[in-house]
Amino acid sequence: MREVRSPYSGDVVGEVPEATWSDVDHALDAATHAFETTRSQSAFDRSQVLLAGAAGIKARAEELTRLIVAEGGKPYKNAKVEVSRAVSTLTWAGEEAKRFTGELIRLDTEGTAAGRLGVVRKFPLGVVLGIAPFNFPLNLVCHKVGPALAAGNAIVVKPASATPLTALKLEEILRDAGAGDAMQVVTTAASDAERAAQDDRVAKISFTGSTDVGWRLKSLVPKKKVTLELGGNASVIIESDADLVHAAERVAYGGFYQAGQSCISVQRVVVHESVVDAFVDALIPRVEALKVGDPADEDTDVGPLIDAAALDRVDDWVRQAIDGGARALTGAKRDDPCYLPTVLTDVRPDMKVSCNEVFGPVVTLQSYAGFDEALRIANETNYGLQAGIFTNDIERVFRAHREIRVGGVIHNDVSAFRADQMPYGGVKDSGYGREGLRYAMDDMSETRILVLSGIDL
């Protein structure tokens, strides 16, 4: 057995089995066998399992919230929202299971195809391998399990080693809901997950995690369907006509919720030079008002980093930036196991806090003179997950949507906004494919056409 410890207190909060390859092999066999049932399930039956799972999460919401706080160090208020979103995610999956269908195509557009009709249907792939991160240990697992089951697949989940307890609780809830062996959780090593990805019994991989690991995994399975949800260093553009108070409130949230440990948290704030001073005056008091500390305290805004290595890395990157000429407008201090919310300015593009993913409570701030420059700065990165833009100029909103190379642009809000039913994913180093229930279901199925002949249209 392996102990799971709180990143805040260091206390043991649970134990999980140290799964071996033999355990993973057994889970893959069980999922493969379960697929023989799920592939032929009615839309109603698939939906009922998922809706019952959503009800099960809702019924145990407080228990799950406290578990997320304990094992991941996520502040209670954020953990509570995650549980609510997980209910929504499985509910959407249950509803999409009823609507997941194909289409009829007239093929008699040529004289030689008279009397022919195409029936296009979507069929499940088989066993999905879901590899989940620590930062959303419930909802991001639901984003893999929900669409997999809704499309008729079975799934084996490898949760993050730091936060396995929530995934195991979800497995229990879904078994009670009727999923049976179609949803398996294995608390195994990364090497076994990599071996499972290459196993012939796995038809699809859905990975959320680090950029290096994700792209390596994809290179190992070039013939398989893979969805990669990787890192980001999201930008937010604040135009001169923006509501600066609203923008400051949202950046103070979007840059520091769950200690910045989110791939779409705000990292780079780009402000028009005419309003930069006013924006700073609005932002800094709001950042300094964030409560840092015990994640179990219902008033805490910023909890601990996931482990000591993450804390050391964030502190090191901030120190490097300051030594290189950056200035800290607030923060830039450790408060172990937390890091104080930090706003840096005078940051160069080649500094790690700018060009890499900080994955911590650090936001950089720079000004621009013209909108072309703002767009250039937003694109000056190897990542491309989401971006935000605060302006009332709708033409510039649509231009940002067209020209910023990201998977999503958020108007009058920060990059951190995500509704669980929307297509979510990135470009460049941020990933490949899309999540968001129906969009994930498309990637977890194959399209097959039946051509009927002799049909009187």
Side-chain angles (χ1 to χ4, degrees):
M1 299 293 285
R2 177 173 61 82
E3 294 179 340
V4 178
R5 292 182 175 271
S6 162
Y8 183 73
S9 67
D11 294 341
V12 175
V13 296
E15 291 184 332
V16 297
E18 286 275 18
T20 64
W21 174 252
S22 176
D23 298 311
V24 178
D25 183 66
H26 176 75
L28 291 174
D29 270 345
T32 300
H33 181 72
F35 175 60
E36 295 306 312
T37 298
T38 60
R39 68 191 303 176
S40 58
Q41 272 183 322
S42 69
F44 175 80
D45 287 342
R46 293 173 186 173
S47 176
Q48 288 300 105
V49 169
L50 290 160
L51 294 177
I57 293 173
K58 188 174 184 179
R60 301 172 72 171
E62 183 64 19
E63 174 190 0
L64 288 164
T65 298
R66 294 294 179 185
L67 188 57
I68 292 169
V69 171
E71 69 172 344
K74 179 176 290 192
Y76 178 88
K77 62 176 67 175
N78 299 134
K80 190 173 182 178
V81 170
E82 179 176 353
V83 173
S84 176
R85 286 182 59 189
V87 173
S88 175
T89 298
L90 288 194
T91 301
W92 271 106
E95 294 301 324
E96 290 293 349
K98 303 173 189 177
R99 295 190 285 266
F100 195 57
T101 185
E103 60 180 330
L104 295 178
I105 302 177
R106 293 192 67 146
L107 302 176
D108 60 344
T109 55
E110 301 289 340
T112 56
R116 294 183 187 269
L117 182 70
V119 180
V120 180
R121 295 178 62 192
K122 296 177 182 294
F123 294 91
L125 294 173
V127 176
V128 176
L129 175 64
I131 302 175
F134 74 83
N135 55 340
F136 288 88
L138 179 63
N139 195 39
L140 288 189
V141 175
C142 286
H143 266 288
K144 301 181 187 310
V145 174
L149 298 183
N153 299 289
I155 183 167
V156 175
V157 175
K158 191 272 182 196
S161 59
T163 55
L165 300 174
T166 306
L168 289 167
K169 193 66 67 176
L170 177 64
E171 179 187 35
E172 178 185 312
I173 290 169
L174 282 169
R175 282 187 177 276
D176 290 344
D181 287 342
M183 192 275 196
Q184 310 261 330
V185 174
V186 287
T187 52
T188 191
S191 57
D192 283 338
E194 189 174 287
R195 182 176 173 183
Q198 299 173 79
D199 193 285
D200 289 341
R201 289 167 290 183
V202 170
K204 156 83 182 184
I205 298 105
S206 177
F207 174 89
T208 304
S210 74
T211 299
D212 291 344
V213 174
W215 287 115
R216 168 179 161 74
L217 191 63
K218 188 175 186 299
S219 72
L220 296 174
V221 288
K223 294 183 179 181
K224 292 187 180 184
K225 282 195 170 188
V226 177
T227 297
L228 300 178
E229 299 296 342
L230 308 176
N233 61 354
S235 63
V236 169
I237 296 172
I238 300 175
E239 276 277 79
S240 59
D241 68 333
D243 180 335
L244 298 183
V245 171
H246 172 62
E249 289 172 346
R250 296 304 294 157
V251 169
Y253 167 77
F256 305 106
Y257 73 105
Q258 64 188 67
Q261 295 173 120
S262 170
C263 50
I264 51 174
S265 66
V266 177
Q267 184 170 325
R268 298 177 298 134
V269 182
V270 189
V271 189
H272 192 273
E273 61 184 11
S274 66
V275 295
V276 67
D277 290 340
F279 177 74
V280 168
D281 289 344
L283 176 65
I284 299 305
R286 287 170 170 81
V287 174
E288 292 178 342
L290 296 171
K291 183 174 181 179
V292 180
D294 186 352
D297 183 336
E298 296 183 16
D299 293 327
T300 294
D301 299 297
V302 181
L305 277 296
I306 190 62
D307 56 32
L311 179 60
D312 289 343
R313 178 185 55 76
V314 170
D315 186 52
D316 181 53
W317 286 12
V318 170
R319 293 294 115 215
Q320 288 182 37
I322 292 173
D323 289 346
R327 290 187 299 116
L329 300 180
T330 190
K333 296 178 182 178
R334 298 173 67 129
D335 186 12
D336 294 26
C338 303
Y339 198 81
L340 296 185
T342 298
V343 179
L344 299 175
T345 191
D346 297 335
V347 173
R348 297 193 313 272
D350 62 338
M351 290 177 172
K352 289 180 179 179
V353 293
S354 180
C355 64
N356 291 346
E357 180 183 36
V358 174
F359 219 64
V362 178
V363 165
T364 67
L365 185 68
Q366 65 187 110
S367 63
Y368 67 92
F371 195 59
D372 287 347
E373 182 184 2
L375 296 176
R376 178 187 60 76
I377 293 169
N379 280 323
E380 203 170 52
T381 172
N382 292 327
Y383 295 102
L385 194 48
Q386 290 196 166
I389 178 169
F390 289 84
T391 182
N392 295 312
D393 187 333
I394 197 64
E395 290 186 8
R396 291 193 169 183
V397 173
F398 278 102
R399 187 178 170 199
H401 189 208
R402 184 173 66 249
E403 296 187 18
I404 301 177
R405 290 203 60 214
V406 290
V409 174
I410 315 300
H411 174 222
N412 277 342
D413 208 342
V414 289
S415 55
F417 174 83
R418 179 182 180 183
D420 293 294
Q421 70 272 28
M422 76 188 206
Y424 174 80
V427 297
K428 301 190 285 187
D429 280 354
S430 288
Y432 183 89
R434 292 294 180 268
E435 288 189 344
L437 289 320
R438 181 176 66 80
Y439 304 93
M441 290 166 70
D442 285 337
D443 280 347
M444 292 181 179
S445 62
E446 60 185 8
T447 301
R448 200 178 303 162
I449 187 169
L450 169 65
V451 178
L452 298 174
S453 302
I455 304 298
D456 184 3
L457 298 175

